[in-house]
Each structure stands twice: as C-alpha cells, then as structure tokens.
C-alpha cells in the first residue's frame, strides 16, 4: 500500500503522521497519475496543522507541491507522456503522498537534468515571489526592496528575482545566523530581527524603498507602509506573525489581526503608495493561463541557471516532525524537502 503524510487533527507535531492509503485513482480524462519522488514543505503546511488555513482543515493529506514520474495519463492529455518527469502543484493540498492523480494543467514537464528535490522546490516559492515582485510589486531597475524572511523559501526566490534587475538594492530580514547565506544569495543589507529594521533601512536609503514584501502582518504592515518612497508598494503575502511556535496561540492570532490596521483610501491618495495582496491558490483557480505562463518562465530561468532554488535539507516521510520543526523553529535556509 502507498503511504502519505497526514495531519490527523489541529494540534502539535504529534498530529503529523505517516499512514498507508489506497492507491491513487487511475487518471480520468485530462488527468495524470504521478509516482512522487520528492515533496516541498511550505510555511502554509504549518498553518494547516494549526487550523489556520482558509482552504483545508485536518484531517487531511499535507503538501502543496511535489515532483515525480508520470505513471499513467488519461484521455485527451497531449502534452505529458508516461515516463515524463513533472513538477506538480496541488491547490487543495495532498502532495505529500507516494502517488497523486492531478489535472494535467497542474503538472509541468521537467527536463531530466533537474533533480527531484529542485523539481519539488520551485513552484510555490518562485511563482509567489515572481508575481509579488514583478507583477504586483512592479519593481524596476535601480529600485529597492525590503524582503521579510529573506532566508525562507519565498524570500530566497524573491531575492534572486529582484537581483535580475540592474541596480536593485535588496534589504532582507532574517535570523542573524543566516546573514552570510542571504548575502551570498544577493541580499545587500541583511537585518536581524533584534535590530530596528525601519531605522536600518532609512539610514541607507532615506527616501525609503520601492517595494516591501510583507509576510508577517500585524504592526509590521504599518511599518512597511511608512518605509515606502512615493509610488512605492507593499505586497502582503502571508501572516507568519500569527505563528509563535508548535501550537496555535489564539492570543497571538487575535493580536496579529488586531494590530493589522485597515488602510484608508485617503491615506493612499495623500501619500502616493499602493497596498496589494497575493494568493497563489486563488490566482491559479481564477487565471490558470497566467499561472502556467509564469511557471514555464521560471522553469526556463532555472534551466538557464539564472535562478537557483536552494535546498535546505532532505528528510524521509517518517521524519516529517523533524522537517516541520526546522521551519517552525526558524532553522531553515531555503527549501525543506521530504521524500517517500
Ligand atoms: N500568498 C501566497 O500565495 C503565499 C505562497 C507561499 C508563501 N506565502 C507566505 O510567504 C511566507 C514565507 O513562506 P515560506 O514557505 O517561504 O516559509 P519560510 O520562509 O521557509 O518559513 C520559515 C522561516 O520563516 C522565518 N520566520 C519569520 N517569522 C516567523 C515566525 N513567526 N515563526 C516561524 N518562522 C518565522 C524563519 O526564518 P528567519 O527567522 O530567519 O526569518 C523561518 O526559518 C509565509 O508567510 C507564507 O505564508 C504566501
């Protein structure tokens, strides 16, 4: 029997378990069946375990993305063949399993030079970063961006994408022990959480930055707006501030929500800045064409080595608790991978 990683109920690490499951269903028309080789973990998987996802509640199978080999294709699938290597995106979760059956539009053929780990590492992080920096953020040559969590999966990707633009300055927050790594990845000015990042940014760039990628919410959302130069933007893409450790803290969730102040349209007019929000799941559901267009573009940039996902660590399914701790205990640099 194949295995999968499940979240049994809302709670701590003990709710992450590996269990046997029935084989994935044979592909219907327009679907493919994939034998999974590696799965990417995301901060979103922490929200799922803590009952904070708006999409799924436990019990459920973990995982938004994986890579593997195609075992069968349904009718009307022309672009993918049995034996192809693919990256897979699972909007509703369920990617951390030995087999998955998905719509062909949720699988992207990979050249065999891409390792299983890298194949499982780039979809969520690099698409989120690309849409946030380039589409919503509109970062331009000579601009400056503040990336919160620059050592995480999205932060790592956003740094590389921003640095493709000539003359861009990247400020990045991260735990102190990760500063040398994020500098190698392209962050010009690493900032520790113990420092006051507002004054650190303004000391280097008194006019402020063109873009802030805010994955924290709470009071940081207000600070992000204060840091914008005229015509700058904040792109909101996460709510990491709601998570304070292994267990969900309702107090922390409420405090984050309470300290995230509403944006007044008058304030936007008077200060010439923009606030945007990004959500990859919703974008894929409502505009699959642009999702696939950017997915292919990112893969092309990885093949040409202009972008390079960094693998923090690789774990077995049975080590899911250690893999998840690595993210919640803030030890990862780049992507955490689990393999069947
Ligand atoms: N909207 C979307 O479609 C979308 C898609 C993907 C991701 N996201 C969001 O983007 C953010 C980054 O996601 P990711 O998957 O790349 O995760 P990640 O950055 O790998 O998350 C782990 C890292 O976050 C940092 N961190 C900051 N505050 C934290 C906290 N309160 N608790 C634990 N760690 C904290 C830690 O590193 P340091 O201490 O070194 O900073 C930790 O190592 C998340 O908020 C996620 O929800 C949104």
């Amino acid at each position: 029997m194949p295995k999968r990683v499940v979240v049994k109920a809302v709670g701590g690490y003990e709710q992450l378990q590996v269990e046997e499951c029935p084989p994935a269903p044979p592909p219907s028309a327009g679907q493919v069946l994939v034998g999974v080789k590696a799965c990417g973990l995301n901060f979103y998987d922490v929200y799922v375990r803590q009952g904070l996802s708006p999409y799924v509640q436990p019990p459920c199978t973990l995982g938004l993305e994986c890579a593997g080999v195609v075992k069968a294709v349904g009718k009307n699938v022309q672009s993918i063949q049995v034996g192809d290597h693919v990256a897979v995106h699972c909007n509703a979760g369920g990617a951390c399993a030995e087999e998955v059956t998905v719509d062909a539009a949720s699988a992207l053929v990979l050249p065999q030079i891409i390792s299983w780990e890298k194949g499982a590492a780039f979809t969520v992080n690099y698409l989120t970063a690309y849409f946030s920096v380039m589409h919503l953020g509109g970062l331009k040559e000579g601009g400056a961006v503040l990336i919160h969590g620059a050592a995480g999966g999205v932060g790592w990707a956003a740094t590389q994408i921003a640095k493709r633009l000539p003359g861009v300055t990247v400020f990045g927050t991260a735990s102190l022990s990760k500063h040398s790594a994020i500098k190698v990845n392209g962050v010009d000015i690493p900032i520790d959480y113990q420092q006051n990042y507002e004054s650190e940014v303004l000391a280097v760039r008194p006019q402020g930055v063109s873009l802030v990628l805010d994955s924290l919410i709470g009071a940081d959302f207000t600070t992000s707006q204060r840091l914008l130069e005229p015509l700058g933007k904040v792109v909101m893409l996460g709510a990491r501030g709601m998570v304070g450790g292994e267990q969900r803290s309702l107090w922390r969730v409420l405090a984050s929500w309470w300290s995230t102040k509403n944006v007044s349209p008058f304030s936007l007019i008077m200060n010439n800045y923009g606030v945007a929000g990004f959500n990859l799941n919703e974008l894929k559901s409502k505009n699959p064409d642009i999702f696939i267009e950017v997915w292919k573009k990112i893969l092309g940039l990885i093949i040409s080595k202009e972008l390079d996902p960094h693998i923090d660590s690789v774990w077995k399914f049975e080590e899911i608790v250690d893999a998840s701790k690595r993210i919640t205990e803030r030890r990862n640099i780049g992507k955490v991978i689990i393999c069947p």
Side-chain angles (χ1 to χ4, degrees), residues 25-264:
S28 311
Q31 292 188 317
V32 295
L33 168 66
V34 178
V36 174
K37 303 288 188 186
C39 312
L41 280 191
N42 288 285
F43 204 81
Y44 172 81
D45 300 315
V46 180
Y47 300 144
V48 170
R49 178 172 52 75
Q50 297 197 356
L52 298 171
S53 163
Y55 298 104
V56 283
Q57 284 294 315
C60 58
T61 305
L62 202 68
L64 289 173
E65 60 189 331
C66 59
V69 61
V70 175
K71 288 174 144 183
V73 297
K75 282 186 192 149
N76 308 328
V77 175
Q78 263 121 41
S79 52
I80 302 179
Q81 295 173 353
V82 171
D84 278 348
H85 292 194
V86 287
V88 174
H89 180 251
C90 297
N91 238 11
C96 294
E98 275 185 64
E99 291 179 349
V100 292
T101 301
V102 294
D103 290 341
S106 293
L108 179 70
V109 176
L110 300 172
Q112 301 207 353
I113 47 159
I114 304 281
S115 67
W116 297 122
E117 291 80 8
K118 291 216 174 180
F122 73 92
T123 301
V124 173
N125 291 161
Y126 279 78
L127 268 72
T128 300
Y130 194 89
F131 282 115
S132 301
V133 171
M134 303 304 295
H135 288 236
L136 285 171
L139 189 64
K140 301 213 167 41
E141 193 175 329
V145 55
L146 168 63
I147 300 172
H148 283 300
V154 172
W156 193 267
T159 302
Q160 292 181 355
I161 288 164
K163 274 299 191 185
R164 293 183 71 235
L165 296 163
V168 160
T169 304
V170 177
F171 298 84
T173 57
S175 303
L176 191 57
S177 61
K178 304 174 184 174
H179 282 199
S180 54
I182 61 172
K183 275 182 105 164
V184 171
N185 192 41
V187 172
D188 298 292
I189 296 126
I191 304 172
D192 182 33
Y193 295 103
Q194 306 304 324
Q195 295 169 266
N196 177 330
Y197 66 84
E198 185 174 6
S199 50
E200 296 291 325
V201 169
L202 294 177
V204 176
R205 201 172 152 103
Q207 74 271 40
V209 292
S210 348
L211 172 64
V212 181
L213 293 193
D214 185 356
S215 48
L216 301 169
I217 71 160
D220 293 289
F221 177 49
T222 309
T223 313
S224 298
Q225 292 168 61
R226 278 203 303 270
L227 273 175
L228 293 176
E229 64 187 13
L231 307 180
K233 291 193 192 85
V234 176
V235 178
M236 299 296 297
L237 49 89
R240 253 186 306 209
M242 291 197 306
V243 173
E246 177 187 354
Q247 298 282 351
R248 176 174 70 187
S249 156
L250 281 178
W251 179 88
R252 200 175 165 113
V253 172
L254 280 173
S256 289
W257 174 79
W258 178 252
S259 56
T260 306
K261 299 301 174 205
N262 288 340
V263 181
S264 143

